[in-house]
Amino acid sequence: MLADWWQYDFLRYTLLSGVLIGLICPILGTFLIVRRLSMMADGLSHVTLSGVAAGMLLSKKVALFQAVNPLFFGMLFSVAGSLFIERLRKVYKSYQDLAIPIIISGGLGLFTVLISIAKGFNADLYSYLFGKIVAVTKDDLYALIGVAAVVLVTVFLLYKELFAVSFDEEFARVSGVARRSINLWFMVLVALTIAASMRIVGVLLISALITIPVAASLQIAGSFRQTILYAIVFAEMSVLVGLYLAYLLDWASGGTIVLMAVLILVAVLGVKRLRAALR
């Protein structure tokens, strides 16, 4: 059974994509949770879904777009949504969390309209919604490699700035950090990650992989760096075990990965409570 993952191209693409997703999602998720923007991924996922639906509709109606991967339309919509959210956060300075339900509602409304125009769902759209192992292509992998490289380079070069902006934005501004540019670029990275990860986890479940491993890590980590490290370990465990079980049992890969993440969180909470009781 394990030999299949090296024998078939689509399984290799899936495995490599899963490893990359398990690396970058918890990194960005840690910064999001510290900023108290854990629901941001949900908002952008709905906008990304609208972009995918728009791409499928255009490929169906316009011959020019038939060869264009709907994933790239999802990326465009997701980036546009991230910029719109950042704009709304500036407009509603005292109610910044209001930007998220606005973008969720708009994204879901646009998706519904596009689907009605296209006369319903199809099997390919289902894979974007919930993830599907056999749906991962070489183009999807290449897009994810590009996004992962940009995320890792950004975090490596701007770690101190991201850390400062995430914990105390006003202090970062006084210290001379270009917080607006960093906030904007960070939102774009989150948007690209969500769009690039949808084939594996599914656009409706990607927010869970961004937040749940970090939630488990926060229970045992003693520092911010440890939080990121443990979150990556938990995310990779969730992805690898989830993908294997999804392939073995013919389940949706996204749902299986998220269930593994939830089980890890429950296990961490249980072990922590047991240790406290023994003490």
Side-chain angles (χ1 to χ4, degrees), residues 46-55 57 73 77-78 80 102-118:
H46 286 76
V47 178
T48 304
L49 190 58
S50 299
V52 171
L57 180 61
F73 287 95
F77 274 59
S78 188
I102 290 175
I103 202 71
I104 288 177
S105 301
L108 190 58
L110 180 58
F111 171 72
T112 304
V113 170
L114 291 173
I115 288 300
S116 66
I117 295 174

Side-chain angles (χ1 to χ4, degrees), residues 80-195:
S82 68
L83 300 178
F84 185 56
I85 287 177
E86 192 63 19
R87 179 59 183 169
L88 288 176
R89 291 181 66 214
K90 293 178 182 178
V91 172
Y92 297 99
K93 292 183 178 180
S94 300
Y95 308 96
Q96 292 188 5
D97 58 338
L98 187 60
I100 298 175
I102 290 175
I103 202 71
I104 288 177
S105 301
L108 190 58
L110 180 58
F111 171 72
T112 304
V113 170
L114 291 173
I115 288 300
S116 66
I117 295 174
K119 306 301 181 184
F121 290 84
N122 58 39
D124 198 35
L125 184 58
Y126 179 89
S127 69
Y128 283 105
L129 285 169
F130 305 109
K132 193 173 183 180
I133 289 178
V134 297
V136 181
T137 65
K138 185 182 292 187
D139 289 340
D140 297 330
L141 175 60
Y142 287 160
L144 186 54
I145 289 174
V147 171
V150 173
V151 170
L152 294 176
V153 170
T154 298
V155 172
F156 178 77
L157 296 178
L158 300 177
Y159 178 81
K160 292 182 179 179
E161 289 81 359
L162 287 168
F163 182 87
V165 171
S166 297
F167 278 92
D168 193 335
E169 196 166 329
E170 189 59 30
F171 174 77
R173 183 186 66 81
V174 174
S175 301
V177 177
R179 59 187 180 90
R180 290 185 177 179
S181 299
I182 289 177
N183 277 333
L184 197 60
W185 181 237
F186 179 77
M187 292 299 180
V188 170
L189 291 181
V190 174
L192 290 175
T193 299
I194 290 171

